[in-house]
Amino acid sequence: MSKLQPALRIKGENVRRFRKLRGLSQAELASGICTQATISLIEKRNKVPSMNILVRLVNRLGITLEDIVVENQDRIQQALSAVDQKVRRGEYRDAAGLLKKVNARRLTREQDLRNYNYFSGMSELFVTQDLDEAIYYFGRVLNGASAAAADVAGIMATLGLALAYAEKGTTERARVYVEQAISLFNAQPLNEQRYLDVELTIYWHISRIYFELGDDAATLQHVQSDIAIGVRNESLFLLPELYALQARTQARLEDEQAAQSRAIALALARVTDRTSLIADLVQGETAASA
């Protein structure tokens, strides 16, 4: 066993999540690398395999070691990383609960503080629904010493402002921020595989903002671009939500394809265990057929 292994802690739940997002069974992930039993031990008991196996697994999943391994991280870094995972998956209530355990006064790195403010903004936006507080936190991300916002935190905070203003009904300001976010994103595309989920999340938020603004053409354009990226990279991340949003947009346009999009969204939601989305889609399906 590698001498480095005692310093490593593997996050089995992340291995399982990435495997499911790639549409792989445990046997398919293990094929030619290790046994299915090894994958099961990794996912259920956080068992650390040999470094050779670990490297081959992350290559097959199209991720990096940092996505599934914690190496000498302090508690703050672990907590922020856990919050980030929840926010990326849209599990905002869980993210807010984890964020309460982070002591902001102990954040000494500027990037950690920017991330904390971004997560706080998302919590206020989606959990407490205090739009003014959300705007305050997103503003803090963009007003820091590194206020050149062409990074992931800056882009996401700019999108957060757009979402908050869209919810407030301040449509012109919302449109300004979403267009600014798109410009920032285009100026710094996230080409690496490790940023795939971030790229999909950015397009997802852009699509939601245009939906709130009532711009159905722009909504469908960005939804379909996001779906194409996910399909091209064999990722199921956010695909159920994207097809659901496509269905809602098509229904608003009285497009007969809305039922097909809803059916695809429901099937994907069941495969990826999106319980709340399944309930929403079943309810919508019942209402549509009434």
Side-chain angles (χ1 to χ4, degrees):
M1 188 173 285
S2 170
K3 293 181 180 179
L4 293 176
Q5 284 186 301
L8 297 179
R9 181 172 67 83
I10 197 162
K11 295 180 282 190
E13 71 279 7
N14 282 9
V15 176
R16 179 177 181 274
R17 181 171 70 86
F18 282 116
R19 174 176 63 76
K20 288 197 137 193
L21 288 174
R22 303 298 180 255
L24 298 173
S25 66
Q26 287 186 344
E28 288 170 333
L29 176 58
S31 179
I33 298 177
C34 58
T35 65
Q36 181 177 345
T38 298
I39 302 299
S40 180
L41 286 172
I42 291 171
E43 294 184 354
K44 293 181 179 179
R45 300 185 186 178
N46 300 320
K47 175 72 173 178
V48 180
S50 70
M51 186 57 67
N52 177 52
I53 289 176
L54 198 55
V55 169
R56 294 173 71 187
L57 289 176
V58 297
N59 286 340
R60 178 162 291 175
L61 290 170
I63 59 177
T64 67
L65 285 173
E66 289 83 358
D67 290 313
I68 60 172
V69 166
V70 178
E71 183 176 5
N72 297 326
Q73 285 186 314
D74 61 29
R75 291 183 180 179
I76 290 177
Q77 293 297 315
Q78 291 181 35
L80 289 175
S81 178
V83 175
D84 182 45
Q85 292 290 337
K86 294 294 183 181
V87 168
R88 289 191 190 192
R89 298 183 67 186
E91 298 172 357
Y92 302 114
R93 192 167 297 279
D94 291 343
L98 293 173
L99 194 62
K100 290 179 180 177
K101 300 177 183 179
V102 178
N103 185 348
R105 295 179 180 178
R106 294 183 58 194
L107 299 177
T108 56
R109 294 176 62 241
E110 184 186 349
Q111 190 59 48
D112 289 342
L113 188 57
R114 295 181 81 221
N115 289 336
Y116 176 87
N117 285 325
Y118 166 65
F119 299 147
S120 297
M122 296 298 278
S123 174
E124 296 292 347
L125 183 60
F126 290 107
V127 181
T128 61
Q129 297 183 330
D130 188 330
L131 301 179
D132 291 328
E133 279 295 293
I135 289 169
Y136 165 74
Y137 280 113
F138 292 137
R140 291 193 66 177
V141 176
L142 301 179
N143 292 332
S146 299
D151 65 356
V152 172
I155 295 170
M156 297 303 285
T158 305
L159 285 171
L161 285 170
L163 284 167
Y165 281 117
E167 289 289 333
K168 285 172 73 75
T170 314
T171 57
E172 287 307 313
R173 188 169 293 187
R175 193 176 293 276
V176 167
Y177 278 116
V178 73
E179 289 175 357
Q180 180 181 348
I182 292 171
S183 177
L184 291 168
F185 183 48
N186 289 337
Q188 187 170 327
L190 306 174
N191 294 321
E192 295 182 43
Q193 181 75 20
R194 64 179 297 187
Y195 289 120
L196 175 62
D197 290 357
V198 178
E199 182 177 7
L200 292 170
T201 300
I202 288 172
Y203 272 122
W204 159 240
H205 284 305
I206 290 171
S207 303
R208 292 184 65 253
I209 292 164
Y210 277 122
F211 183 83
E212 293 297 329
L213 292 173
D215 190 335
D216 295 327
T219 302
L220 290 175
Q221 174 190 340
H222 289 287
V223 162
Q224 289 162 5
S225 293
D226 213 2
I227 289 172
I229 292 170
V231 171
R232 185 168 63 249
N233 288 276
E234 300 181 346
S235 171
L236 295 177
F237 183 67
L238 286 178
L239 274 188
E241 289 81 359
L242 288 162
Y243 272 105
L245 182 57
Q246 179 170 273
R248 291 177 65 194
T249 309
Q250 290 169 334
R252 194 158 68 180
L253 292 169
E254 299 183 350
D255 186 333
E256 60 184 18
Q257 292 185 339
Q260 181 182 0
S261 295
R262 189 184 301 111
I264 294 172
L266 184 57
L268 289 171
R270 285 170 173 157
V271 168
T272 53
D273 300 322
R274 302 289 207 278
T275 306
S276 60
L277 181 59
I278 291 170
D280 290 342
L281 287 166
V282 169
Q283 184 178 2
E285 196 170 50
T286 302
S289 61

